[in-house]
Amino acid sequence: MPSTDRPGPGEPATRPAPGAAASLETPSDPVGPSATAGSDWADVGLLAPVWAGSLVEAATGDAAFVRGMLDAEAALARAQAAVGLAPAAAAAAVTAAAAETARYDVRDLASRARSGGNPVIPLVADLTAAVAARDSEAGPYVHRGATSQDIWDTALMLVAGRALEPVLADLGRTVRALAELATAHRDTPMAGRTLTQHAVPTTFGLKAAGWLTLAAGARDRLAAVRASLPAQLGGAAGTLAAFHAYASVRAGAAHREGDVGVRLLAAFAAETGLAEPVLPWHTLRAPIADLAGALAFTAGALGKMAADVLVLSRTEAGEVAEGQGGGSSAMPHKSNPVRAVLIAAAARQVPALTGVLHGSLAAEDERPAGAWHAEWQPAREAVRLVGGAAREAAELAEGLRVHPRRMSDNLGMTGGLVAAEHLSIALAASIGRDRAKRAVTRASRRAAEEGIDLADALAAEPDVAALLTRHDALTAEPHVAAPSHQDTAACGRDEAPPGDDAGPSKENPGAPGEDDGPSDKNTRTPGEDSGPSDKNTKTPGEDDGPSDKNTGVSWEELRALADPARYLGSAGALVDRALRTIERTS
């Protein structure tokens, strides 16, 4: 039976020495004597400041991959012992030799990998020698029955699982900080922008809630992928046949209940702490594609927040600012939004990298030539970039400074044009939709050209001026208090201003005794085909005529309709909805 003392998902499979704490490899704790940060050949992140010095850098370095391969080899030996394919002493010797990571020279392994096309081959040779030095009879049990891809794919899954741990922690920080921003600015109005232009008002709380839902979605996707990262074991061509052969020559191993290969696969997955796959996946690269998809989504989700911050922190906008901006080598006054810049850079690189990973789905045969090898660098770099972006996103969200007054100033920059839709809808109730839209469109153009408020420009429009005149004529007090944003328009249907000669009414067609002509109630002779009824004499789609109940609109009401802060719709309710949803799923 598999050992019950096994690591959890993403934890190292190699048992640490008694009293020693398992930890992520760090650049200062390298594998092998030549893996030093000061070496001329070392890549220490000079070209990638987004992940340089981060936990994810340490978790994805060359040393971390060597450790992953050693953990996979040790887990395989223990799994074979658990199902009766290897003696327990041999498994112990392999585990002990694999734990001595300092004896494996990373640079040397990389150089020797050229001869076989992957680093597993030289590592197996070094590990076998180390095991034989401990126990001469244990050496043959190193890597027995496995193929290089079994060890490398398992190592990649171990590395990814360990690297995603700090990434998920940083995404959790980001989610919490964005929830606080959305709550604090639930009702803070700002200009909504579409195609770079002011559109209609929104709130900063709603914008932050949007970032929040993306960040939470990224966290949940990565967490689900991390929990499902599988071990890899199939042998030379995915049939596990070698293990059957070894079982046939080892007393008792072949006679245990169940298929020996399937039992070994379950034991191996348990020893690594990874998920047990349904099938070997040498050319069934769904785990790689799933990881790639979650990484690409996360990069894009954080990239959306960064893109918005970059726009809103421009000097001419000034609506937000990073808690501590970056400086310039030339301009002392600069405070650049460097957190957002680094996230945006990562978001542009990850899709291309994950495209390579998705491309490996189309792998030929039972073991691919090139498709598998093409995954290694893009997979590591994608994990690194997402990890670095998550770190920057947490710091960005936690330190973001919001400037509501500047948002208000910018919202009023166009003199009410952002409320044009509101005015068009409200005035349609008085003068009809088409006339209202034409009036607001003309007034909007005039306001933009002459730099005047939209309300002032509208007041000069004949249809709107008539409404203002009518209100003054029919009310005792021409200037009444502006209505609330929920009571947007006191409007009826359009009619001619009082005093205009509107012609005779259908209810009273003429003066007594005047020849009225045919009655409106019966304008045809019996049997004559009638035309359209007087009750519906307008062309379909034509604006309704005036209503006798129309009392016009006051100047104060017009100004209120042009107030952007009164046209926020469901923004607050949507923020509340997002916060409740995130709280339920967290």
Side-chain angles (χ1 to χ4, degrees):
M1 295 294 292
S3 169
T4 56
D5 182 19
R6 63 175 75 102
E11 295 178 355
T14 303
R15 305 285 197 271
S23 62
L24 294 172
E25 295 287 353
T26 63
S28 61
D29 181 25
V31 174
S34 66
T36 56
S39 301
D40 289 341
W41 49 263
D43 179 0
V44 294
L46 184 65
L47 306 184
V50 67
W51 54 253
S54 65
L55 290 176
V56 77
E57 176 192 12
T60 56
D62 286 351
F65 275 92
V66 172
R67 177 174 173 173
M69 290 187 286
L70 290 169
D71 288 343
E73 293 286 3
L76 179 60
R78 292 195 302 272
Q80 293 198 55
V83 300
L85 292 180
V94 174
T95 298
E100 297 176 344
T101 55
R103 69 183 298 153
Y104 305 98
D105 189 322
V106 176
R107 181 62 174 173
D108 180 61
L109 291 172
S111 298
R112 290 157 59 202
R114 286 190 62 207
S115 62
N118 72 74
V120 177
I121 297 172
L123 180 68
V124 168
D126 291 354
L127 177 61
T128 301
V131 171
R134 287 176 167 274
D135 182 347
S136 60
E137 296 184 358
Y141 291 96
V142 174
H143 196 72
R144 196 167 77 149
T147 190
S148 296
Q149 192 171 355
D150 291 332
I151 300 305
W152 181 264
D153 281 350
T154 300
L156 176 60
M157 296 296 98
L158 288 170
V159 168
R162 294 164 187 171
L164 289 180
E165 182 177 355
V167 177
L168 290 170
D170 284 335
L171 288 174
R173 290 171 54 198
T174 304
V175 166
R176 289 189 292 274
L178 291 177
E180 292 176 2
L181 282 173
T183 301
H185 294 282
R186 177 187 185 274
D187 301 312
T188 301
M190 65 178 295
R193 297 168 172 92
T194 62
L195 303 182
T196 76
Q197 307 295 300
H198 282 201
V200 296
T202 184
T203 69
F204 183 72
L206 185 56
K207 184 175 286 290
W211 301 341
L212 169 64
T213 57
L214 287 176
R219 176 200 60 190
D220 294 346
R221 284 168 171 80
L222 281 180
V225 165
R226 182 173 184 256
S228 66
L229 293 173
Q232 173 74 286
L233 187 63
T239 64
L240 299 164
F243 301 110
H244 284 262
Y246 286 122
S248 68
V249 298
R250 182 168 177 81
H255 302 292
R256 296 190 182 188
E257 183 179 353
D259 182 273
V260 66
V262 173
R263 287 192 290 113
L264 178 60
L265 182 56
F268 179 58
E271 287 292 338
T272 62
L274 295 168
E276 179 184 347
V278 175
L279 296 172
W281 44 282
H282 293 149
T283 53
L284 308 174
R285 308 306 282 174
I288 298 296
D290 289 342
L291 176 61
L295 291 172
F297 179 89
T298 302
L302 301 180
K304 160 60 178 170
M305 175 175 68
D308 282 344
V309 169
L310 290 173
V311 170
L312 298 179
S313 61
R314 290 176 181 269
T315 304
E316 55 270 29
E319 297 180 0
V320 301
E322 290 190 2
Q324 185 174 357
S328 164
S329 64
M331 295 168 282
H333 70 283
K334 294 295 290 294
S335 181
N336 296 318
V338 290
R339 306 277 80 76
V341 167
L342 293 176
I343 296 169
R348 283 163 171 76
Q349 296 175 73
V350 173
L353 296 169
T354 55
V356 175
L357 301 181
H358 281 118
S360 292
L361 280 167
E364 74 283 359
D365 300 328
E366 280 61 56
R367 294 277 306 287
W372 168 53
H373 305 73
E375 297 169 356
W376 306 345
Q377 264 306 78
R380 173 165 72 174
E381 190 64 17
V383 172
R384 283 180 164 182
L385 287 168
V386 168
R391 176 183 66 170
E392 303 302 332
E395 295 183 8
L396 172 61
E398 290 172 345
L400 192 67
R401 290 181 287 142
V402 182
H403 304 304
R405 179 173 296 180
R406 190 61 179 266
M407 292 177 177
S408 178
D409 291 345
N410 289 342
L411 190 58
M413 181 186 301
T414 60
L417 289 180
V418 290
E421 181 185 64
H422 191 194
L423 284 158
S424 183
I425 293 171
L427 291 173
S430 294
I431 60 177
R433 185 181 64 182
D434 293 341
R435 291 166 65 188
K437 184 176 181 179
R438 287 194 296 269
V440 174
T441 298
R442 287 192 301 266
S444 296
R445 289 174 180 169
R446 183 182 169 215
E449 291 170 357
E450 300 181 11
I452 62 175
D453 286 347
L454 178 58
D456 293 328
L458 266 175
E461 285 292 316
D463 286 332
V464 179
L467 291 176
L468 292 170
T469 300
R470 187 177 304 113
H471 179 275
D472 290 348
L474 298 180
T475 59
E477 298 183 27
H479 302 293
V480 299
S484 69
H485 65 281
Q486 295 170 329
D487 183 15
T488 56
C491 304
R493 292 297 182 187
D494 185 31
E495 65 175 352
D500 281 5
D501 184 7
S505 164
K506 287 183 172 22
E507 301 297 329
N508 182 20
E514 183 178 345
D515 185 9
D516 296 335
S519 168
D520 286 332
K521 295 183 180 180
N522 185 10
T523 58
R524 62 185 178 88
T525 58
E528 181 181 354
D529 185 16
S530 64
S533 168
D534 288 333
K535 295 182 179 180
N536 182 16
T537 59
K538 66 186 185 71
T539 304
E542 183 181 348
D543 285 340
D544 291 337
S547 168
D548 290 336
K549 296 180 179 180
N550 190 343
T551 60
V553 61
S554 72
W555 173 247
E556 288 77 10
E557 289 169 333
L558 187 65
R559 297 289 296 183
L561 290 171
D563 181 0
R566 295 174 178 266
Y567 194 52
L568 297 176
S570 300
L574 290 171
V575 172
D576 297 339
R577 177 185 175 89
L579 291 170
R580 287 194 302 269
T581 301
I582 300 303
E583 185 177 1
R584 284 197 304 268
T585 58
S586 295

